[in-house]
Amino acid sequence: MNTNRWNRIRYTFYAPIYDWIVQSFNTSRKRSIQLLQLKTGERVLFVGAGTGEDLQFVPEGVEITAVDITPTMVEHIRRKAELLKRPVQVSVMDGQALELPSESFDAVVLHLILAVIPDPIACIQESARVLKPDGRIVVFDKFLPENEQPSLLRRIANVIAHFAFSDINRKLESIVVTAPLNLLHEEPAVYGRFGYKIALYQKS
Ligand SMILES: C[S@@+](CC[C@H](N)C(=O)[O-])C[C@H]1O[C@@H](n2cnc3c(N)ncnc32)[C@H](O)[C@@H]1O
């Protein structure tokens, strides 16, 4: 059921109320983007950018590109960029097959996308591909600890969670190990007891 087509349908439906649903994540968004230490003139890519709630936390002078598979979300990003008076390159694009040149970004932001996108390994590999050497990736999402197996109850709950919003049983390390990335820092995020965390990586 987790396909690009289904994601487009459900996120088109969520788009008008999305900012209200995710407002409690803002402290973690801000912290995550701060960890990137973005500098004037650097280029940052947001994959699965949603309504663009992250844009407000990007320092002035940083060049922003934001992509999402859902056209309605992309429209929201455009409007938010206008409100913030920030130039943002926005496109409808699949985060599993980025139509962007290799080694063209200083940083990639993966907020609440690795647990949503159908193929998170393709997404992390594509994100690493478009990063310049030594570029950084920051991930903010919920994951199952690597050494934990989901309980029967959690697996049953995931049938609904996966259908409605995102997979609650993905493991971050198993995804990231497939890309040329080194972990620089990791910390619990808001709702840390539910597995939400922030992790910063550098391209090796
Ligand atoms: C939970 S929302 C997260 C949005 C945003 N990153 C945030 O932090 O609020 C997931 C987003 O991923 C997008 N998405 C799902 N599959 C995608 C894909 N294959 N490529 C790009 N975006 C995708 C959805 O349209 C949705 O906007």
Side-chain angles (χ1 to χ4, degrees):
M1 192 64 201
N2 188 356
T3 59
N4 279 346
R5 188 161 180 267
W6 176 236
N7 276 330
R8 270 196 211 102
I9 294 169
R10 62 181 171 169
Y11 282 100
T12 300
F13 180 71
Y14 295 150
I17 51 164
Y18 186 81
D19 289 352
W20 177 77
I21 298 172
V22 297
Q23 53 182 298
S24 59
F25 290 131
N26 275 0
T27 315
S28 294
R29 292 181 190 285
K30 185 175 178 186
R31 168 71 183 151
S32 173
I33 292 169
Q34 269 171 354
L35 284 172
L36 285 174
Q37 298 187 331
L38 292 164
K39 294 172 211 69
T40 301
E42 284 196 318
R43 302 190 70 211
V44 63
L45 169 68
F46 289 82
V47 180
T51 57
E53 267 300 270
D54 290 323
L55 299 182
Q56 59 189 313
F57 302 116
V58 180
E60 291 289 334
V62 172
E63 233 181 273
I64 306 171
T65 301
V67 303
D68 199 284
I69 200 79
T70 308
T72 312
M73 285 299 202
V74 166
E75 275 316 305
H76 278 259
I77 306 171
R78 271 206 187 99
R79 265 183 260 147
K80 204 160 276 170
E82 273 169 26
L83 275 174
L84 291 168
K85 299 190 171 43
R86 295 291 301 263
V88 179
Q89 290 282 337
V90 191
S91 325
V92 174
M93 201 183 287
D94 185 353
Q96 303 160 128
L98 294 169
E99 297 156 55
L100 295 165
S102 300
E103 302 192 354
S104 51
F105 289 90
D106 300 283
V108 175
V109 176
L110 299 176
H111 283 178
L112 308 175
I113 179 70
L114 287 180
V116 168
I117 201 160
D119 184 349
I121 290 178
C123 179
I124 198 87
Q125 291 181 345
E126 276 294 88
S127 300
R129 178 184 66 75
V130 301
L131 265 188
K132 294 177 186 173
D134 292 337
R136 298 91 75 201
I137 291 188
V138 77
V139 175
F140 159 50
D141 215 328
K142 69 195 155 317
F143 298 98
L144 194 66
E146 205 62 24
N147 54 1
E148 216 174 273
Q149 290 310 315
S151 63
L152 180 62
L153 186 66
R154 195 167 168 133
R155 275 183 280 148
I156 293 168
N158 198 31
V159 175
I160 298 163
H162 200 185
F163 174 79
F165 59 102
S166 67
D167 197 316
I168 56 172
N169 288 338
R170 289 188 179 168
K171 295 180 177 180
L172 179 58
E173 291 77 5
S174 304
I175 297 168
V176 174
V177 77
T178 65
L181 297 169
N182 293 325
L183 179 67
L184 293 182
H185 175 80
E186 194 177 277
E187 65 184 48
V190 63
Y191 308 126
R193 67 182 189 286
F194 297 117
Y196 282 88
K197 62 181 174 181
I198 297 170
L200 176 69
Y201 299 90
Q202 186 162 41
K203 187 167 175 178
S204 51

